[in-house]
């Protein structure tokens, strides 16, 4: 209603695109967008492209890293961040300090004297390559953002500085899989840090959640989808979000200032019955 981020109707303008890809789904979308935007980026032009790919571990970033070779350095910023899988004791040392971190970030945070980490102490940490629960990826992100050298906070800062360096209009897109463990686990926390903390809600931040299809692995189309949609509902439903911000403050305001879109994969899967073809087509259509 306030029209803070409303675009003028009837005008076609060039927009610089800045994209954060979370998990395998988001990283693969960055690869496609980077290839497609390359033909429009020129040295000394008005357009700029920024990309931040985040996943757990250091694998799977080869395609994003190759974008550094094909995009002009003067008008692009490409960065990858592999969230470290910490040792159990180090992880719980961070989680036990979450009240301290949240109190610094959210002045209205209620200091719960009975606080316990959301992960039970006997939590099994999967081996590399195994499916990751949302609760664990959320914990890995918290450690990378709040604790030690804060690699996540520093990467987000560099990304937002690159977006701010754009001379014209910009839109920031956060892409993630709704059913996977990594992207769905960290998207709400990361989106708040990007939109409400770093940009101060100045930027158009648009969310794209890729829905699972019946051809995806069982763990990507199971019960983890329910809490993901609940989290997003608390952000996107205006009346619910007003209730949240009344208690916790404006840093919990819906970070998707430009709205959010859910992208289905099922129709393409039904037409192809090939998961790679399905993912490739969805990536092209998103781009």
């Amino acid at each position: 209603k306030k029209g803070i981020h409303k675009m003028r109707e009837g005008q076609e303008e060039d927009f610089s695109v800045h994209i954060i890809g979370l998990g395998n789904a988001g990283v693969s979308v960055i690869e496609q967008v980077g290839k497609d935007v390359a033909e429009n980026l020129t040295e000394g032009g008005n357009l700029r492209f920024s990309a931040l790919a985040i996943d757990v571990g250091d694998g799977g970033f080869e395609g994003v890293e190759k974008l550094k070779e094909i995009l002009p350095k003067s008008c692009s910023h490409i960065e990858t961040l592999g969230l470290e899988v910490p040792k159990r004791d180090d992880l719980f040392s961070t989680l036990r300090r979450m009240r301290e971190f949240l109190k610094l970030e959210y002045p209205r945070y209620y200091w719960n004297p009975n606080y316990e980490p959301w992960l039970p102490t006997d939590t099994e940490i999967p081996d590399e390559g195994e499916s990751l629960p949302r609760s664990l990826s959320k914990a890995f992100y918290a450690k990378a953002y709040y604790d030690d050298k804060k690699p996540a906070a520093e990467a987000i800062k560099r990304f937002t500085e690159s977006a701010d360096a754009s001379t014209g209009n910009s839109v920031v897109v956060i892409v993630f899989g709704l059913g996977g463990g990594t992207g769905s686990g960290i998207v709400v926390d990361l989106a708040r840090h990007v939109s409400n903390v770093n940009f101060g809600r100045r930027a158009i931040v648009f969310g794209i959640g890729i829905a699972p299809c019946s051809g995806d692995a069982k763990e990507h189309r199971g019960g983890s989808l329910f809490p993901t949609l609940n989290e997003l509902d608390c952000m996107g439903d205006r009346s619910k979000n007003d209730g949240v911000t009344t208690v916790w403050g404006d840093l919990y305001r819906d970070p998707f200032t430009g709205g959010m879109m859910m992208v289905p994969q099922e129709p393409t899967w039904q037409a192809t019955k090939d998961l790679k073809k399905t993912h490739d087509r969805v990536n092209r259509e998103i781009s």
Side-chain angles (χ1 to χ4, degrees):
K1 292 181 180 178
K2 294 179 181 179
I4 295 173
H5 296 288
K6 187 175 182 180
M7 301 180 197
R8 289 168 290 181
E9 297 179 5
Q11 288 190 335
E12 290 190 11
E13 301 177 6
D14 288 331
F15 274 80
S16 291
V17 177
H18 312 281
I19 180 169
I20 298 178
L22 306 178
N24 183 63
V27 172
S28 63
V29 170
I30 287 181
E31 294 178 26
Q32 184 65 54
V33 174
K35 293 174 185 175
D36 292 345
V37 81
E39 54 194 59
N40 294 320
L41 284 182
T42 57
E43 298 281 0
N46 291 326
L47 298 183
R48 184 172 180 81
F49 176 68
S50 311
L52 173 59
I54 301 178
D55 206 347
V56 174
D58 295 325
F61 293 128
E62 296 83 1
V64 176
E65 290 290 344
K66 286 182 180 177
L67 295 179
K68 296 178 181 179
E69 302 172 9
I70 64 174
L71 298 175
K73 288 183 174 57
S74 64
C75 53
S76 65
H77 171 82
I78 311 296
E79 186 169 354
T80 60
L81 174 63
L83 298 180
E84 178 187 359
V85 179
K87 295 180 180 178
R88 183 194 303 272
D89 290 347
D90 293 339
L91 178 63
F92 277 89
S93 175
T94 297
L95 294 183
R96 292 188 186 101
R97 296 182 60 201
M98 284 301 294
R99 290 180 299 178
E100 300 171 33
F101 302 136
L102 292 175
K103 188 66 177 176
L104 288 171
E105 195 166 61
Y106 305 102
R108 295 187 192 177
Y109 175 76
Y110 168 70
W111 188 270
N112 180 5
N114 301 314
Y115 167 79
E116 291 289 338
W118 62 86
L119 293 175
T121 54
D122 60 352
T123 296
E124 297 274 341
I125 297 182
D127 294 329
E128 187 173 345
E130 292 184 347
S131 178
L132 193 69
R134 295 180 70 251
S135 56
L136 264 179
S137 61
K138 190 180 286 283
F140 294 168
Y141 174 77
K143 182 168 181 61
Y145 186 85
Y146 293 110
D147 207 357
D148 298 332
K149 297 180 181 179
K150 301 178 173 60
E154 292 299 318
I156 290 171
K157 181 181 178 182
R158 289 189 290 269
F159 172 85
T160 54
E161 286 174 347
S162 174
D164 276 337
S166 302
T167 56
N169 299 301
S170 288
V171 61
V172 177
V173 185
I174 301 176
V175 187
F176 63 101
L178 284 165
T182 303
S184 69
I186 71 177
V187 63
V188 170
D189 296 321
L190 177 136
R192 282 206 314 266
H193 292 145
V194 169
S195 183
N196 299 346
V197 177
N198 282 266
F199 280 124
R201 300 185 66 79
R202 292 178 291 104
I204 299 173
V205 178
F206 182 66
I208 297 181
I210 303 175
C213 68
S214 52
D216 280 319
K218 186 177 180 180
E219 58 269 20
H220 292 165
R221 49 186 171 86
S224 66
L225 192 60
F226 181 70
T228 302
L229 295 177
N230 274 338
E231 270 197 310
L232 294 169
D233 188 37
C234 284
M235 299 292 107
D237 185 301
R238 181 64 59 85
S239 59
K240 291 180 182 178
N241 193 236
D242 284 345
V244 172
T245 55
T246 298
V247 177
W248 299 105
D250 280 347
L251 288 184
Y252 274 92
R253 182 88 46 203
D254 179 13
F256 297 108
T257 57
M260 187 179 158
M261 174 188 295
M262 184 172 75
V263 176
Q265 295 189 100
E266 189 65 21
T268 305
W269 163 255
Q270 292 295 339
T272 65
K273 296 296 182 180
D274 185 308
L275 202 55
K276 186 179 185 309
K277 289 181 179 179
T278 298
H279 292 167
D280 287 348
R281 176 168 179 181
V282 169
N283 291 346
R284 290 196 303 273
E285 301 248 354
I286 290 174
S287 180

